Amino acid sequence: MKKIKALFLSAVLLAGGAMSGCTGGGADIQGEVSTENSTPYPPESSPTAEGTEQTAPQSPEQSRESFDANPATEEAPPVITPIDTEPDYEWDKVIALTFDDGPNTDTTNEVLDILEKHQVVASFFLIGNNINDESAESVKRAYALGCEINNHSKSHDYMDKMSADDIKAEYDYVDEKVFELTGEHTKFFRPPYIAVSDEMWENIDVPFISGIGCNDWDEKVTVEKRVQMILKKAADGCIILMHDASGNHMTVEAIDQIIPELKAQGYKFVTVSELFKEKGITPTSQMIYTNVTQEGMWG
């Protein structure tokens, strides 16, 4: 009889230890879950609130699928409102503001901020080697605002010294990149250093563009000097040539003064394409335009 009682007590003690061990293991697992979810899953035996339905916890794979499928968790792209190009002032002249040497993620966006502020469009002439995943967003933003995206070569090298194949490759690289980003091909080409050759005329089948400048690529030229030079040279049908190269913040300051002053003088800001259209002029080959009304090759 004593032996039977001893065996019974041993069984009870072993069962109690096993129950204690399960409880301890459950607390450890619960602690691991709570580091990923601030609301731990309740034990299966826990009662549910009246009127609510108990659901089984999702597996990690199910949770990821639900997260990916939930549009509320995805970051919405920024909403860009196109610039209103219809002036709210009297104008009787047109002019095109253009920028070389982008795109980038700093100065290009600062220029776009000024364009939005003053509600004017511009045309951007891109260097292919500057187009990457980050700077491409600046290109998309410019296009969405209503700006025109044009071609300034892949490498910004002296193309007048290149072979026909190299010239085509320089132009085509940028043209293809712009088409990928905007769905449109580049309509105009600005030769690096405004250096041209017969080989370039023959192998680039869009009009060449120059413009009035203010040496704004030179850090020694102050904001005030940039403003003065552009305002002095501005004329109806004219193309302004400036640079949105990374770090060129003085040009950003300059256009913030130039735009309102030219508006006050009766200028409407348009893209290069619109400039030719406004003047009723079809651009021709073997011309490099500084003013769309010019008759000679160089203006």
Side-chain angles (χ1 to χ4, degrees):
M1 187 68 177
K2 287 181 179 179
K3 185 180 283 188
I4 293 171
K5 287 182 177 179
L7 289 171
F8 178 77
L9 287 171
S10 296
V12 170
L13 289 171
L14 285 171
M19 290 175 66
S20 176
C22 287
T23 304
D28 291 341
I29 294 171
Q30 186 71 22
E32 291 176 5
V33 172
S34 65
T35 61
E36 297 180 1
N37 189 325
S38 60
T39 307
Y41 295 124
E44 291 182 1
S45 59
S46 297
T48 59
E50 185 177 355
T52 62
E53 182 180 351
Q54 180 83 23
T55 57
Q58 291 181 314
S59 68
E61 291 77 11
Q62 289 172 321
S63 298
R64 182 172 296 278
E65 289 172 2
S66 298
F67 179 87
D68 292 342
N70 185 359
T73 62
E74 298 177 359
E75 185 177 350
V79 176
I80 299 176
T81 303
I83 288 168
D84 183 2
T85 56
E86 197 58 44
D88 57 358
Y89 56 89
E90 292 187 8
W91 60 274
D92 57 359
K93 294 168 282 192
V94 286
I95 201 162
L97 184 58
T98 70
F99 296 93
D100 283 5
D101 296 356
N104 51 69
T105 59
D106 56 335
T107 308
T108 301
N109 280 314
E110 292 172 359
V111 167
L112 293 174
D113 290 342
I114 299 298
L115 298 182
E116 281 195 279
K117 172 184 174 181
H118 295 291
Q119 288 293 287
V120 299
V121 292
S123 299
F124 290 84
F125 288 78
L126 308 187
I127 294 176
N129 287 342
N130 287 342
I131 304 172
N132 54 45
D133 289 344
E134 290 75 29
S135 65
E137 297 305 312
S138 303
V139 179
K140 292 176 184 176
R141 180 188 172 196
Y143 182 76
L145 286 172
C147 296
E148 187 171 77
I149 312 300
N150 288 312
N151 200 314
H152 194 35
S153 82
K154 177 181 185 290
S155 67
H156 202 279
D157 202 354
Y158 281 95
M159 291 176 62
D160 58 324
K161 309 299 183 187
M162 294 183 183
S163 67
D165 287 344
D166 288 341
I167 289 168
K168 290 176 183 176
E170 286 277 333
Y171 180 87
D172 289 347
Y173 182 88
V174 180
D175 189 56
E176 289 167 7
K177 288 286 187 181
V178 170
F179 185 78
E180 288 174 11
L181 295 173
T182 68
E184 291 190 22
H185 291 286
T186 53
K187 299 180 180 70
F188 297 94
F189 176 70
R190 179 169 280 144
Y193 311 107
I194 315 300
V196 297
S197 67
D198 289 339
E199 205 79 36
M200 292 170 69
W201 296 123
E202 292 168 8
N203 290 281
I204 298 176
D205 193 26
V206 297
F208 285 30
I209 300 296
S210 181
I212 60 166
C214 59
N215 298 335
D216 67 324
W217 42 265
D218 186 349
E219 292 183 355
K220 296 190 293 293
V221 180
T222 65
V223 172
E224 291 73 19
K225 187 66 176 175
R226 298 176 194 210
V227 173
Q228 291 170 6
M229 290 175 70
I230 294 299
L231 294 180
K232 182 178 180 180
K233 296 177 183 178
D236 186 27
C238 199
I239 299 163
I240 300 173
L241 193 168
M242 301 187 82
H243 297 79
D244 64 322
S246 183
N248 193 5
H249 304 300
M250 285 196 288
T251 281
V252 177
E253 293 182 45
I255 62 170
D256 198 22
Q257 299 178 44
I258 290 167
I259 293 170
E261 178 57 35
L262 288 179
K263 278 185 172 183
Q265 294 180 22
Y267 283 95
K268 175 186 178 182
F269 287 84
V270 295
T271 65
V272 175
S273 291
E274 292 166 344
L275 190 64
F276 282 100
K277 185 177 179 181
E278 288 279 357
K279 288 298 180 183
I281 294 170
T282 301
T284 63
S285 60
Q286 298 201 8
M287 291 268 285
I288 184 159
Y289 288 93
T290 292
N291 191 307
V292 298
T293 63
Q294 73 192 46
E295 297 180 1
M297 174 179 168
W298 292 95

